[in-house]
Coordinates of all heavy atoms in Angstrom, one line a residue:
K402 N 0.8 -1.2 0.0 CA 0.0 0.0 0.0 C 0.9 1.2 0.0 O 0.6 2.2 -0.7 CB -0.9 0.1 1.2 CG -2.0 -1.0 1.2 CD -2.8 -0.9 2.5 CE -3.8 -2.0 2.6 NZ -4.5 -1.9 4.0
K403 N 1.9 1.3 0.8 CA 2.8 2.5 1.0 C 3.5 2.7 -0.3 O 3.6 3.9 -0.8 CB 3.8 2.3 2.1 CG 3.1 2.4 3.4 CD 4.1 2.2 4.6 CE 3.5 2.2 5.9 NZ 4.4 1.9 7.0
Y404 N 4.0 1.7 -1.0 CA 4.7 1.8 -2.3 C 3.8 2.4 -3.3 O 4.2 3.4 -4.0 CB 5.3 0.5 -2.8 CG 6.6 0.2 -2.0 CD1 7.0 -1.2 -2.0 CD2 7.5 1.1 -1.4 CE1 8.2 -1.6 -1.4 CE2 8.6 0.7 -0.8 CZ 9.0 -0.6 -0.8 OH 10.1 -1.0 -0.2
V405 N 2.7 1.8 -3.5 CA 1.8 2.3 -4.5 C 1.3 3.7 -4.2 O 1.3 4.5 -5.1 CB 0.5 1.3 -4.6 CG1 -0.6 1.9 -5.5 CG2 0.9 0.0 -5.1
K406 N 1.0 4.0 -3.0 CA 0.5 5.4 -2.7 C 1.6 6.4 -2.9 O 1.3 7.5 -3.4 CB 0.1 5.4 -1.1 CG -0.4 6.8 -0.7 CD -0.9 6.7 0.7 CE -1.5 8.1 1.1 NZ -2.0 8.1 2.4
S407 N 2.9 6.0 -2.7 CA 4.0 7.0 -2.9 C 4.4 7.0 -4.4 O 5.4 7.8 -4.8 CB 5.1 6.7 -2.0 OG 5.7 5.5 -2.4
G408 N 3.8 6.3 -5.3 CA 4.2 6.3 -6.7 C 5.3 5.4 -7.1 O 5.8 5.5 -8.2
V409 N 5.8 4.5 -6.3 CA 6.8 3.6 -6.6 C 6.2 2.5 -7.6 O 5.2 2.0 -7.3 CB 7.4 2.9 -5.4 CG1 8.4 1.8 -5.7 CG2 8.0 3.9 -4.5
H410 N 6.9 2.2 -8.7 CA 6.4 1.2 -9.6 C 6.5 -0.1 -8.8 O 7.5 -0.5 -8.2 CB 7.4 1.1 -10.8 CG 7.0 0.0 -11.7 ND1 5.9 0.0 -12.5 CD2 7.5 -1.3 -11.8 CE1 5.8 -1.2 -13.1 NE2 6.8 -2.0 -12.7
T411 N 5.3 -0.8 -8.7 CA 5.2 -2.0 -8.0 C 4.7 -3.1 -8.8 O 3.7 -3.0 -9.6 CB 4.2 -1.7 -6.8 OG1 4.6 -0.6 -6.0 CG2 4.1 -3.0 -5.9
E412 N 5.3 -4.3 -8.7 CA 4.9 -5.5 -9.4 C 4.8 -6.6 -8.3 O 5.6 -6.6 -7.4 CB 5.8 -5.9 -10.5 CG 5.9 -4.9 -11.6 CD 6.6 -5.5 -12.9 OE1 6.6 -6.7 -13.0 OE2 7.2 -4.7 -13.7
I413 N 3.8 -7.5 -8.4 CA 3.7 -8.5 -7.5 C 3.9 -9.9 -8.1 O 3.4 -10.2 -9.2 CB 2.2 -8.5 -6.9 CG1 1.9 -7.2 -6.3 CG2 2.0 -9.7 -5.9 CD1 2.8 -6.8 -5.1
T414 N 4.7 -10.7 -7.5 CA 4.9 -12.1 -7.9 C 4.3 -13.0 -6.8 O 4.6 -12.9 -5.7 CB 6.4 -12.4 -8.1 OG1 7.0 -11.6 -9.0 CG2 6.6 -13.8 -8.5
N415 N 3.3 -13.8 -7.2 CA 2.6 -14.7 -6.3 C 3.1 -16.1 -6.6 O 2.6 -16.7 -7.6 CB 1.1 -14.5 -6.5 CG 0.3 -15.3 -5.6 OD1 0.7 -15.6 -4.4 ND2 -0.8 -15.9 -6.0
L416 N 3.9 -16.6 -5.8 CA 4.3 -18.0 -6.0 C 3.2 -18.9 -5.5 O 2.8 -19.0 -4.3 CB 5.5 -18.3 -5.1 CG 6.1 -19.7 -5.1 CD1 6.5 -20.1 -6.6 CD2 7.3 -19.8 -4.2
V417 N 2.6 -19.7 -6.4 CA 1.5 -20.6 -6.1 C 2.1 -22.0 -5.8 O 2.8 -22.6 -6.6 CB 0.5 -20.7 -7.3 CG1 -0.6 -21.7 -7.0 CG2 0.0 -19.3 -7.6
I418 N 1.8 -22.4 -4.6 CA 2.2 -23.8 -4.1 C 1.1 -24.7 -4.0 O 0.2 -24.4 -3.2 CB 3.0 -23.6 -2.8 CG1 4.1 -22.6 -2.8 CG2 3.5 -25.0 -2.3 CD1 4.7 -22.3 -1.5
P419 N 1.0 -25.7 -4.9 CA -0.2 -26.6 -4.8 C -0.4 -27.1 -3.4 O 0.5 -27.5 -2.7 CB 0.2 -27.7 -5.8 CG 1.2 -27.0 -6.7 CD 1.9 -26.1 -5.9
E420 N -1.7 -27.1 -3.1 CA -2.2 -27.5 -1.7 C -1.8 -26.7 -0.6 O -2.2 -27.0 0.5 CB -1.8 -29.0 -1.5 CG -2.4 -30.0 -2.6 CD -2.1 -31.4 -2.3 OE1 -1.9 -31.8 -1.1 OE2 -2.0 -32.2 -3.3
Y421 N -1.2 -25.6 -0.8 CA -0.9 -24.6 0.2 C -1.6 -23.3 0.0 O -2.2 -22.8 0.9 CB 0.7 -24.3 0.3 CG 1.4 -25.4 1.0 CD1 1.9 -26.5 0.3 CD2 1.7 -25.4 2.3 CE1 2.6 -27.5 0.9 CE2 2.4 -26.4 3.0 CZ 2.9 -27.5 2.3 OH 3.6 -28.5 2.8
N422 N -1.5 -22.7 -1.1 CA -2.0 -21.4 -1.4 C -2.6 -21.3 -2.8 O -2.6 -20.2 -3.4 CB -1.0 -20.3 -1.2 CG 0.1 -20.3 -2.2 OD1 0.3 -21.3 -2.8 ND2 0.8 -19.2 -2.3
D423 N -3.1 -22.4 -3.3 CA -3.6 -22.4 -4.7 C -5.1 -22.3 -4.8 O -5.6 -22.6 -6.0 CB -3.0 -23.7 -5.4 CG -3.5 -25.0 -4.7 OD1 -4.0 -24.9 -3.6 OD2 -3.4 -26.0 -5.4
S424 N -5.8 -22.0 -3.8 CA -7.3 -21.9 -4.0 C -7.7 -20.7 -4.8 O -7.0 -19.7 -4.8 CB -7.9 -21.8 -2.6 OG -7.8 -20.5 -2.0
S425 N -8.7 -20.9 -5.6 CA -9.2 -19.8 -6.4 C -9.6 -18.6 -5.5 O -9.5 -17.4 -5.9 CB -10.3 -20.2 -7.3 OG -11.4 -20.7 -6.6
D426 N -10.1 -18.9 -4.3 CA -10.5 -17.8 -3.4 C -9.3 -17.0 -3.0 O -9.4 -15.7 -2.9 CB -11.2 -18.3 -2.1 CG -12.6 -18.9 -2.4 OD1 -13.1 -18.5 -3.4 OD2 -13.1 -19.6 -1.6
N427 N -8.2 -17.6 -2.7 CA -6.9 -16.9 -2.3 C -6.5 -16.0 -3.5 O -6.1 -14.8 -3.3 CB -5.8 -17.9 -2.1 CG -5.4 -17.9 -0.6 OD1 -5.9 -17.1 0.2 ND2 -4.5 -18.9 -0.3
I428 N -6.5 -16.5 -4.7 CA -6.1 -15.7 -5.8 C -7.1 -14.6 -6.1 O -6.7 -13.4 -6.4 CB -5.9 -16.6 -7.1 CG1 -4.8 -17.6 -6.8 CG2 -5.7 -15.8 -8.3 CD1 -4.7 -18.7 -7.7
K429 N -8.3 -14.8 -6.0 CA -9.3 -13.7 -6.2 C -9.2 -12.6 -5.1 O -9.3 -11.5 -5.4 CB -10.8 -14.3 -6.1 CG -11.2 -15.1 -7.3 CD -12.6 -15.7 -7.0 CE -12.9 -16.6 -8.3 NZ -14.2 -17.3 -8.0
E430 N -8.9 -13.0 -3.9 CA -8.7 -12.0 -2.8 C -7.5 -11.2 -3.1 O -7.5 -10.0 -2.9 CB -8.5 -12.8 -1.5 CG -8.6 -11.8 -0.3 CD -8.6 -12.6 1.0 OE1 -8.9 -13.8 1.1 OE2 -8.2 -11.9 2.0
L431 N -6.4 -11.8 -3.6 CA -5.2 -11.0 -4.0 C -5.5 -10.0 -5.1 O -5.2 -8.8 -5.1 CB -4.1 -12.0 -4.5 CG -2.8 -11.3 -5.0 CD1 -2.2 -10.3 -4.0 CD2 -1.9 -12.3 -5.4
V432 N -6.2 -10.5 -6.2 CA -6.6 -9.6 -7.3 C -7.5 -8.5 -6.8 O -7.3 -7.3 -7.2 CB -7.3 -10.4 -8.4 CG1 -7.8 -9.5 -9.5 CG2 -6.2 -11.4 -9.0
K433 N -8.4 -8.8 -5.9 CA -9.3 -7.7 -5.4 C -8.5 -6.7 -4.6 O -8.7 -5.5 -4.7 CB -10.3 -8.4 -4.5 CG -11.4 -7.4 -4.0 CD -12.4 -8.2 -3.2 CE -13.4 -7.3 -2.5 NZ -14.4 -8.0 -1.7
F434 N -7.6 -7.1 -3.7 CA -6.8 -6.3 -3.0 C -6.0 -5.3 -3.9 O -5.9 -4.1 -3.7 CB -5.8 -7.1 -2.0 CG -4.7 -6.3 -1.5 CD1 -5.0 -5.4 -0.3 CD2 -3.4 -6.3 -1.9 CE1 -4.0 -4.7 0.3 CE2 -2.4 -5.5 -1.3 CZ -2.7 -4.7 -0.2
L435 N -5.3 -5.9 -4.9 CA -4.5 -5.1 -5.8 C -5.3 -4.2 -6.7 O -4.9 -3.0 -6.9 CB -3.6 -6.0 -6.7 CG -2.6 -6.9 -6.0 CD1 -1.9 -7.9 -6.9 CD2 -1.5 -6.0 -5.3
S436 N -6.4 -4.6 -7.1 CA -7.3 -3.7 -7.9 C -7.8 -2.5 -7.2 O -8.0 -1.5 -7.8 CB -8.4 -4.5 -8.6 OG -9.3 -5.0 -7.6
K437 N -7.9 -2.6 -5.9 CA -8.4 -1.5 -5.1 C -7.3 -0.5 -4.9 O -7.5 0.7 -4.8 CB -8.8 -1.9 -3.7 CG -10.1 -2.6 -3.7 CD -10.5 -3.0 -2.3 CE -11.9 -3.7 -2.3 NZ -12.3 -4.1 -0.9
L438 N -6.0 -0.9 -5.0 CA -4.9 0.0 -4.9 C -4.6 0.7 -6.2 O -4.3 1.9 -6.3 CB -3.6 -0.8 -4.5 CG -3.6 -1.5 -3.2 CD1 -2.3 -2.2 -2.9 CD2 -3.8 -0.4 -2.0
S439 N -4.6 -0.1 -7.4 CA -4.3 0.5 -8.6 C -4.6 -0.6 -9.7 O -4.5 -1.8 -9.5 CB -2.8 0.9 -8.7 OG -2.5 1.2 -10.0

C-alpha cells in the first residue's frame, strides 16, 4: 500500500504452491486487494 501510494512502480509475484495457497478464493482475494490499490 505504501509503495503504491507513494508512486513507486510495484509488481507482485505470487508463488503458487499446490495444496498450500492455490485456492481460487486466495487468488481472487489477491486480485481484489491489488485492484483497489491500482
Side-chain angles (χ1 to χ4, degrees):
K402 289 177 189 176
K403 286 178 186 177
Y404 281 155
V405 171
K406 185 176 180 179
S407 66
V409 173
H410 175 78
T411 305
E412 296 193 25
I413 303 297
T414 299
N415 182 36
L416 177 62
V417 178
I418 305 171
E420 298 183 27
Y421 282 88
N422 68 339
D423 62 344
S424 74
S425 60
D426 287 342
N427 248 354
I428 296 168
K429 286 177 186 176
E430 192 173 339
L431 174 58
V432 170
K433 184 177 177 181
F434 169 77
L435 294 175
S436 67
K437 286 181 180 179
L438 296 179
S439 171

